Structure formats: structure tokens, C-alpha cells
Amino acid sequence: MINLIFDIDDTAYDQLKPFEEAFKTVFGTANQLKIESLYIKSRFYSDEVYHRVVRGEMPKAEMHVYRITQALADFDYQITKKEAENFQIAYEQNQRKIELSPGIKEILTWAKKNHITMGIITNGPKEHQQHKINDLQINDWIPVANTFISGKVGIEKPDKQIFELVAKQIGIDVAKTYYIGDSFENDVIGSKNAGWHSIWLNRRGHLEPEDAAYLPDHCVENEQELFALLQEIF
């Protein structure tokens, strides 16, 4: 029997949707920016400084301003600090309206019906990520005891220790465990380094890093491909 452990952001739900709604609220739709490209840039700058936030070297609010300001600057679009702060407020408000994507809900229902052990590993502050888990109602399928937030356990992906902690706590065989996530560095490299199988849910069409220490066992572009793959593995 296989085990399935999921990431949350941009895996269990489409993170582009609350980002796009926040952008429309604060900046309107008059400009010609491609929102998905802007979102990808924003995630790049967020990942760039996230470790500084975790170490207490940068306030979280400063990181929020930095990532959207830098992302927009790459498209020659300048904003004020106040506009960046307003965007973050709107973004957080829209994140409280998130829902499981229909495809992921179908996968969770199938997995539960087939008695597949499931869990969650997500990076982020304890309360912020817990709000997302609650809003997604994902514990209707995955037990609370199998939910691990980096801000709560004190270890963050891609550190293999968080994967080892989860395997020990849940009591799963890593040789039969598949981690499903959208981030190559955090999810693919992290899980592979811990000896797990990795499924890269590559919604945004990212390229594999040329010098990657590990490669995913499988790469899918959407939930339909993911479901077909999981059924085949099962």
C-alpha cells in the first residue's frame, strides 16, 4: 500500500486565484501585465528571502512588501510601499476564501476510500498555515495528527529532517511514500533527499534546474494527470 503526503500552497489549491483577485482589487486591470508571470516572479522573490524571515533577520511585513515590489519592478511597474501593503492585505483576505481544487478533492476522496495513509507537510507560520488548512477543510480527509506545519515543528522544507520526522510520527515506510508538491527545491529535493518518492505538480511549467541534485520520480502538469498517475501506481 502506498502513502501520499501533500504540500498545501499551489498544490491542494491554486494559489494564483487569490493573488489575481488581490491584484485586481488594488491595481485594477488596465495594465497589460500577465498575472501568472507576475505571480511566478513574486514567488521567486518570496523564496529568495524566506529563510531570512525564519531566522528573524527580516520582518515578515518587509518580506511581503519586497516580493511584490521586486516582482512588479521586473515588469517596469513601480509601486509605493503603501500600495504593496494594501496588496498584501487584499491577498490575505482572498486567501481566507480558498477552496480545494476539484481535482485534489477527487484524489483525496479516492485515497480515503482505498484506505491510503495521507498527510500534509507545509512551510509557513503556524497560525497562517493552520488557517489555510481549516479553510480548505482538508482534515475531512487527512487526520489532524498527520498534519505538519514547519512553523510548528521548527523544521522547514527542504530540510530532510522534517520528512524524517513525519515518517516517524505517522509510522510510514518511506520506500512506499510519495510526496506531492509544486516546489522543485522544497518538495522534490527535500523529499528525495529523505529517501521518499517525489511527484512534482508543475502547474506553472517551470524547467528542471540543470544542476539539480535530485530529479522527481514523476512530473505532472495538472490534477487530472496526477490522479491518473496515482491510480496507476496504486
Side-chain angles (χ1 to χ4, degrees), residues 29-30 38 41 43 47 69 121 148 167 171 181-182 184 186 199-200 227:
T29 57
L38 178 65
K41 280 288 186 180
R43 298 309 304 168
D47 291 341
T69 301
I121 306 176
F148 298 83
D182 69 293
F184 194 97
N186 290 339
I199 300 175
W200 188 23
F227 195 12

Side-chain angles (χ1 to χ4, degrees), residues 2-3 6-9 28 32 63 75 82 94 100 102 105 126 146 179 183 191 197 210:
I2 64 173
N3 311 298
F6 296 84
D7 175 43
I8 289 290
D9 295 312
Q32 299 302 310
M63 180 265 283
F75 294 92
K82 184 63 176 177
N94 279 287
L100 283 174
K105 186 179 289 188
K126 174 185 173 182
N146 292 5
Y179 188 70
S183 169
S191 59
H197 295 288
E210 293 183 2

Side-chain angles (χ1 to χ4, degrees), residues 62-93:
E62 186 178 325
M63 180 265 283
H64 292 156
V65 169
Y66 174 80
R67 66 186 181 187
I68 188 61
T69 301
Q70 291 297 119
L72 282 166
D74 281 356
F75 294 92
D76 297 320
Y77 196 97
Q78 308 301 318
I79 61 172
T80 64
K81 181 180 179 183
K82 184 63 176 177
E83 286 176 319
E85 291 170 342
N86 288 341
F87 170 80
Q88 181 61 30
I89 292 170
Y91 187 31
E92 290 180 4
Q93 289 172 342

Side-chain angles (χ1 to χ4, degrees), residues 184 188 200 202 205-212 214-219:
F184 194 97
V188 174
W200 188 23
N202 187 15
H206 295 297
L207 298 176
E208 291 182 351
E210 293 183 2
D211 58 347
Y214 297 95
L215 295 176
D217 294 280
H218 306 279
C219 180

Side-chain angles (χ1 to χ4, degrees), residues 50 54 121-126 129 148-157 162:
Y50 179 71
V54 172
I121 306 176
T122 178
N123 275 0
K126 174 185 173 182
Q129 294 305 101
F148 298 83
I149 302 171
S150 68
K152 183 176 181 179
V153 301
I155 315 167
E156 64 176 31
K157 301 178 295 183
I162 193 168

Side-chain angles (χ1 to χ4, degrees), residues 152-223:
K152 183 176 181 179
V153 301
I155 315 167
E156 64 176 31
K157 301 178 295 183
D159 191 329
K160 71 175 183 178
Q161 291 185 62
I162 193 168
F163 295 92
E164 292 170 346
L165 171 69
V166 170
K168 182 178 180 181
Q169 293 275 359
I170 300 180
I172 51 178
D173 180 354
V174 299
K176 299 177 180 178
T177 300
Y178 290 78
Y179 188 70
I180 301 163
D182 69 293
S183 169
F184 194 97
E185 179 182 357
N186 290 339
D187 302 330
V188 174
I189 294 178
S191 59
K192 291 296 291 182
N193 194 28
W196 295 24
H197 295 288
S198 171
I199 300 175
W200 188 23
L201 179 52
N202 187 15
R203 296 180 186 274
R204 312 295 168 202
H206 295 297
L207 298 176
E208 291 182 351
E210 293 183 2
D211 58 347
Y214 297 95
L215 295 176
D217 294 280
H218 306 279
C219 180
V220 294
E221 295 181 354
N222 53 57
E223 294 97 335

Side-chain angles (χ1 to χ4, degrees), residues 17-172:
K17 291 181 180 179
F19 183 93
E20 184 173 16
E21 289 304 313
F23 188 86
K24 289 177 181 178
T25 298
V26 177
F27 303 109
T29 57
N31 61 75
Q32 299 302 310
L33 284 175
K34 185 179 179 183
I35 299 299
E36 185 171 11
S37 298
L38 178 65
Y39 167 76
I40 291 171
K41 280 288 186 180
S42 173
R43 298 309 304 168
F44 170 81
Y45 286 114
S46 181
D47 291 341
E48 181 185 58
V49 297
Y50 179 71
H51 300 294
R52 293 182 59 196
V53 176
V54 172
R55 293 194 297 262
E57 298 170 0
M58 173 185 273
K60 188 165 61 173
E62 186 178 325
M63 180 265 283
H64 292 156
V65 169
Y66 174 80
R67 66 186 181 187
I68 188 61
T69 301
Q70 291 297 119
L72 282 166
D74 281 356
F75 294 92
D76 297 320
Y77 196 97
Q78 308 301 318
I79 61 172
T80 64
K81 181 180 179 183
K82 184 63 176 177
E83 286 176 319
E85 291 170 342
N86 288 341
F87 170 80
Q88 181 61 30
I89 292 170
Y91 187 31
E92 290 180 4
Q93 289 172 342
N94 279 287
Q95 281 185 319
R96 297 308 308 271
K97 302 173 186 176
I98 58 175
E99 297 178 344
L100 283 174
S101 65
I104 293 296
K105 186 179 289 188
E106 186 179 17
I107 289 169
L108 294 174
T109 301
W110 165 81
K112 186 175 181 179
K113 180 180 178 181
N114 285 283
H115 307 289
I116 293 172
T117 298
M118 294 185 286
I120 294 167
I121 306 176
T122 178
N123 275 0
K126 174 185 173 182
E127 292 184 2
H128 186 58
Q129 294 305 101
Q130 187 61 56
H131 279 314
K132 293 178 185 176
I133 291 167
N134 295 344
D135 293 339
L136 293 169
Q137 299 179 324
I138 203 167
N139 289 134
D140 289 351
W141 292 269
I142 298 175
V144 173
N146 292 5
T147 302
F148 298 83
I149 302 171
S150 68
K152 183 176 181 179
V153 301
I155 315 167
E156 64 176 31
K157 301 178 295 183
D159 191 329
K160 71 175 183 178
Q161 291 185 62
I162 193 168
F163 295 92
E164 292 170 346
L165 171 69
V166 170
K168 182 178 180 181
Q169 293 275 359
I170 300 180
I172 51 178

